[in-house]
Amino acid sequence: MRALVVGASGMLTEVARWLAEQSYQVIVVGRNRAKLERVRDGSRYPHLFTLLPLDYGQTDQLREAMEQLIAEQGHIELVVAWINSTAPEAISTIQQVLSRPKKKWSLYHVCGSRAWIHPPLVQEVAGCSYHRIILGFVCEEKGSRWLNNEEIAQGVIFAIQSKEPQTIVGSVEPWEKRPT
Ligand SMILES: NC(=O)c1ccc[n+]([C@@H]2O[C@H](COP(=O)([O-])OP(=O)(O)OC[C@H]3O[C@@H](n4cnc5c(N)ncnc54)[C@H](OP(=O)(O)O)[C@@H]3O)[C@@H](O)[C@H]2O)c1
């Protein structure tokens, strides 16, 4: 089994390591190789990691890297992607290339809280099971706060295990209580 984690060296670090614990070969994407090395070196299964340093905002570079990955490693069953709004073509580029082998795969798309109000438009692609994960916030006695990395990683792992089409980590209601 192979999993691709895009934006792997921040809040998804523990998700990438958990996937290795589940016996996935894990390909981790980020721009900075040293940060990706830290993700791998903090795992109990570093030999299961492949580092793929690239800028997902460079669409041609991303497409070529995905094509090379599939040619060299074969089918990718699972993708977890945290992609910021500076790269609006990245999700569809990944979808197009990974769907070419005509085998089933799952995309877990991690989105910021605004996706609750304005869900991102993601095309349906044959073979791709799409799952949205919305990162909300935490309401506390005095106000609210954003999620921390541990809460995000646990929520993403729960979403992968539950396989629901949409998972909300934390809360998105009452919306007016979100942190400013
Ligand atoms: N609703 C919430 O509560 C919420 C939502 C979002 C964020 N947060 C918090 O805010 C913190 C910071 O968020 P963040 O957005 O900076 O996320 P992050 O997950 O901490 O870091 C972003 C990840 O994406 C990679 N990346 C960024 N731009 C890239 C590009 N163009 N190409 C390839 N990889 C790229 C980064 O590595 P490189 O820099 O090496 O490329 C890194 O691995 C998080 O750690 C989290 O705790 C909370």
Side-chain angles (χ1 to χ4, degrees), residues 46-67:
H47 59 285
L48 293 178
F49 280 74
T50 300
L51 311 187
L52 193 52
L54 60 81
D55 180 350
Y56 55 53
Q58 306 290 319
T59 302
D60 290 343
Q61 187 192 2
L62 176 63
R63 186 181 299 107
E64 280 168 27
M66 292 297 106
E67 285 169 348

Side-chain angles (χ1 to χ4, degrees), residues 9-25:
S9 52
M11 61 171 95
L12 297 182
T13 294
E14 292 306 326
V15 176
R17 292 175 183 161
W18 175 79
L19 287 166
E21 284 167 21
Q22 310 309 303
S23 304
Y24 279 90
Q25 303 269 347

Side-chain angles (χ1 to χ4, degrees), residues 7-12 29-32 35 54-57 82 84 86 112-113 135-137 146-149 152:
S9 52
M11 61 171 95
L12 297 182
V29 170
R31 288 166 299 188
N32 184 311
K35 283 162 71 177
L54 60 81
D55 180 350
Y56 55 53
W82 167 242
N84 63 43
T86 60
S113 58
L135 303 179
F137 48 88
W146 296 114
L147 300 160
N148 60 38
N149 282 359
I152 291 170

Side-chain angles (χ1 to χ4, degrees), residues 31 34 48 64 68 72 88 96-97 100 102 107 138 156 159 167:
R31 288 166 299 188
L48 293 178
E64 280 168 27
Q68 192 176 347
E72 288 175 359
Q96 285 159 18
V97 179
R100 275 185 211 150
K102 307 276 182 221
L107 170 59
V138 180
V156 172
T167 302

